[in-house]
Amino acid sequence: MTRKSRATPAGTMAPKARKPAGGPGQALDDRLASGEAVVAVIGLGYVGLPLACEFARSGLRVLGIDVDASKVADITAGRSHVQDVADSDLRPLIEGGRLRAGTDVSVLAEADAVVICVPTPLRKTRDPDISYIVAAVDAIAGHLHRGMLIVLESTTYPGTTEEVVLPRLEATGLRVGRDFFLAFSPERVDPGNARFKTRNTPKIVGGVTPRCIRAAKALYARAVDQIVPVSSTRAAEMVKLLENTFRSVNIGLVNEVALMCDRLGLNVWEVIDAAGTKPFGFMPFYPGPGLGGHCIPIDPHYLSWKLRTLNYQARFIELASEINGSMPQYVVGKVVDALNDQRKSVRGARVLILGVAYKRDVGDVRESPALDVIKLLADRGAEVRYNDPYAASIAVDGGTIYRSVPLDRKALLASDLVLIITDHSAYDYRFIVKHSRSVLDTRNATRGLRGEGRERIRRL
Ligand SMILES: NC(=O)c1ccc[n+]([C@@H]2O[C@H](COP(=O)([O-])OP(=O)(O)OC[C@H]3O[C@@H](n4cnc5c(N)ncnc54)[C@H](O)[C@@H]3O)[C@@H](O)[C@H]2O)c1
């Protein structure tokens, strides 16, 4: 059920603090339009920090709140921990007083709008962990005031905004659509994407009431070029899950096609490239060592969990997850084959992994398949080292720390196998292949290489 019936016509309430003719909603619109509004962003990670910067650049005063004091200290010193935000972009916003970071939630009392960008991981049982959302909302409830707009951006299951966030805010006695405004607007950030950033990526917005959507549109109009309203918060929540499920399922499909091509003795990359010449009705996805990052491996499970509560099994999601989750094991099988060709066992073999980030040209190793591959190889007794220009050290299986080694001729020659897990553009693949004894390329990064060493390359 939507709450449209609660929409309050402009002018039906008498706010205590500010008294413009149109009520608290109008006051908020006016303050956003004039640039007087103060926006708080809760959670200054990959999503929250770029958004906070975009609001600050638009002329609003931004209060960034994070529970991690070291992140706050770095941001305050003008040092960005997010690759997509350059220090040179952050520093002027801090020095000019447009963006202030802190751990104290009491600043929410001065905020006209609050955007929640906290993590939404899975529990060990693969059920949603919305405890970060709940903590953020409880902090807001303590400072909720008339005319305030609250927007949830964290990816979550359909219903979270109205079933979890709304009751906590209304427990204060204030009413949505009349006293405060509540919306869901999924983040679509694509880390490392040089073309599409916060400003030029269209923003989906769903409000609890029409007045809520109007307030959220007024907020995002400051920072985003195109806003796409949808009819409800649930629809907005579902849009994000469709987008990420679409990727997960298509990657799962193409990973299975890779497994099938292997059995058929076919080169899956050739097949995809040829299919990709079809100018309609086909969109190429590429196989790889498995899914990673904070979104694609996790978000679809938010949807399947919700559907389970409604006695429905989300079959595509489960199957894609099973296939994608099996890819690290498949890669290890290929490592065994490649070493076998050299009459070597995995135990004692020196394997150099290139790239541990979950995708090209980023340093994020969350859920990266490289971590699984390293663990599987180490468990079998391989001597594993890695290089990644973006990740100086990693913790595998919650404990063992590995540090990136220099990528030079000596390191390549000293390895029985070089395993390309992440196809960073900074790598000189010609050099790598030339000086390696054997290369297993899980990303087709060495495509197009001619000359010395080509015969030493195996592909997924
Ligand atoms: N990273 C992405 O590419 C991406 C893309 C789209 C959507 N999302 C979604 O956005 C949300 C945030 O993801 P992220 O990658 O930015 O996570 P992140 O871990 O990089 O950042 C979240 C931040 O929130 C902070 N935090 C946690 N609890 C808090 C609290 N109660 N109060 C204040 N701060 C708190 C953490 O310390 C952390 O700095 C998730 O729901 C994610 O699924 C992420």
Side-chain angles (χ1 to χ4, degrees):
M1 192 191 88
T2 64
R3 290 182 165 252
K4 280 182 185 158
S5 55
R6 287 198 179 190
T8 307
T12 54
M13 67 166 295
K16 279 180 194 154
R18 300 163 196 141
K19 293 185 177 175
Q26 189 58 49
L28 176 64
D29 290 357
D30 292 347
R31 283 172 66 74
L32 283 166
S34 68
E36 281 172 89
V38 176
V39 179
V41 176
I42 302 186
L44 298 173
Y46 288 87
V47 167
L49 187 60
L51 185 68
C53 290
E54 205 56 58
F55 280 135
R57 260 194 296 276
S58 83
L60 298 175
R61 196 152 69 78
V62 180
L63 307 169
I65 301 170
D66 202 293
V67 287
D68 184 337
S70 66
K71 261 183 206 171
V72 166
D74 277 349
I75 293 167
T76 305
R79 286 190 302 269
S80 166
H81 60 284
V82 174
Q83 197 182 325
D84 288 343
V85 176
D87 290 355
S88 54
D89 289 336
L90 176 63
R91 214 171 294 125
L93 302 173
I94 298 284
E95 287 168 359
R98 299 241 64 92
L99 172 61
R100 213 170 74 210
T103 54
D104 181 6
V105 294
S106 67
V107 296
L108 288 170
E110 7 165 355
D112 296 280
V114 191
V115 184
I116 305 170
C117 305
V118 295
T120 43
L122 291 174
R123 297 189 188 283
K124 279 213 163 64
T125 51
R126 301 196 84 68
D127 288 349
D129 176 1
I130 58 163
S131 60
Y132 299 88
I133 294 180
V134 169
V137 172
D138 287 345
I140 295 168
H143 302 278
L144 188 66
H145 53 78
R146 289 190 171 187
M148 202 180 203
L149 164 68
I150 296 95
V151 186
L152 178 60
E153 288 216 3
S154 302
T155 308
T156 185
Y157 59 81
T160 309
T161 307
E162 296 195 21
E163 292 162 15
V164 178
V165 180
L166 181 59
R168 286 183 152 74
L169 297 178
E170 286 201 326
T172 59
L174 295 176
R175 284 286 157 264
V176 71
R178 186 188 71 190
D179 305 326
F180 71 92
F181 311 100
L182 177 60
F184 182 84
S185 179
E187 181 48 60
R188 284 172 152 171
V189 70
D190 181 18
N193 191 323
R195 183 160 168 228
F196 290 107
K197 307 272 182 198
T198 304
R199 181 161 279 284
N200 63 351
T201 303
K203 194 103 176 81
I204 304 292
V205 177
V208 178
T209 71
R211 195 64 195 77
C212 295
I213 212 167
R214 194 170 129 192
K217 280 166 72 180
L219 171 67
Y220 287 111
R222 304 263 342 169
V224 182
D225 293 340
Q226 192 192 342
I227 296 162
V228 183
V230 293
S231 64
S232 65
T233 56
R234 277 190 182 80
E237 288 158 340
M238 188 65 181
V239 169
K240 174 72 186 179
L241 294 175
L242 167 62
E243 291 169 6
N244 284 359
T245 300
F246 172 83
R247 288 193 60 74
S248 166
V249 167
N250 278 289
I251 294 168
L253 171 65
V254 85
N255 275 333
E256 192 177 38
V257 170
L259 303 182
M260 294 193 282
C261 282
D262 188 51
R263 298 270 166 122
L264 292 165
L266 293 169
N267 178 338
V268 66
W269 307 98
E270 180 194 2
V271 171
I272 296 167
D273 285 347
T277 60
K278 187 179 178 190
F280 47 86
F282 183 83
M283 181 187 286
F285 280 79
Y286 298 96
L291 291 182
H294 186 26
C295 293
I296 315 291
I298 292 174
D299 300 347
H301 291 287
Y302 269 68
L303 185 54
S304 57
W305 174 85
K306 179 68 183 180
L307 269 301
R308 273 204 303 280
T309 70
L310 301 171
N311 276 328
Y312 183 88
Q313 203 195 342
R315 287 156 290 177
F316 274 107
I317 292 176
E318 299 304 331
L319 182 58
S321 169
E322 189 188 316
I323 293 170
N324 293 328
S326 73
M327 292 311 285
Q329 188 70 57
Y330 177 70
V331 168
V332 169
K334 289 279 166 199
V335 169
V336 171
D337 292 347
L339 290 170
N340 200 36
D341 285 353
Q342 299 180 49
R343 300 171 192 277
K344 280 208 154 57
S345 65
V346 178
R347 183 165 302 282
R350 285 159 301 181
V351 178
L352 176 62
I353 292 186
L354 299 187
V356 292
Y358 82 89
K359 72 170 186 174
R360 184 193 305 156
D361 298 345
V362 303
D364 192 352
V365 299
R366 290 179 296 178
E367 312 286 327
S368 173
L371 306 179
D372 292 329
V373 171
I374 291 174
K375 179 175 164 25
L376 289 168
L377 289 174
D379 284 351
R380 282 164 179 72
E383 284 176 32
V384 184
R385 294 175 307 150
Y386 85 90
N387 168 275
D388 193 312
Y390 297 98
S393 68
I394 51 170
V396 174
D397 203 21
T400 318
I401 303 288
Y402 289 74
R403 288 182 208 290
S404 178
V405 299
L407 178 57
D408 51 24
R409 202 166 156 264
K410 198 168 140 220
L412 291 167
L413 280 171
S415 305
D416 296 308
L417 180 73
V418 172
L419 172 55
I420 300 171
I421 293 286
T422 313
D423 50 344
H424 291 309
S425 346
Y427 284 141
D428 179 347
Y429 292 102
R430 187 174 302 280
F431 177 86
I432 289 165
V433 170
K434 187 172 171 195
H435 298 294
S436 300
R437 289 189 218 175
S438 176
V439 176
L440 175 57
D441 179 1
T442 67
R443 301 282 190 178
N444 205 23
T446 55
R447 65 185 162 277
L449 278 193
R450 306 264 172 274
E452 198 183 339
R454 271 181 65 213
E455 69 291 349
R456 297 193 288 269
I457 305 171
R458 274 173 172 262
R459 295 206 166 76
L460 194 68

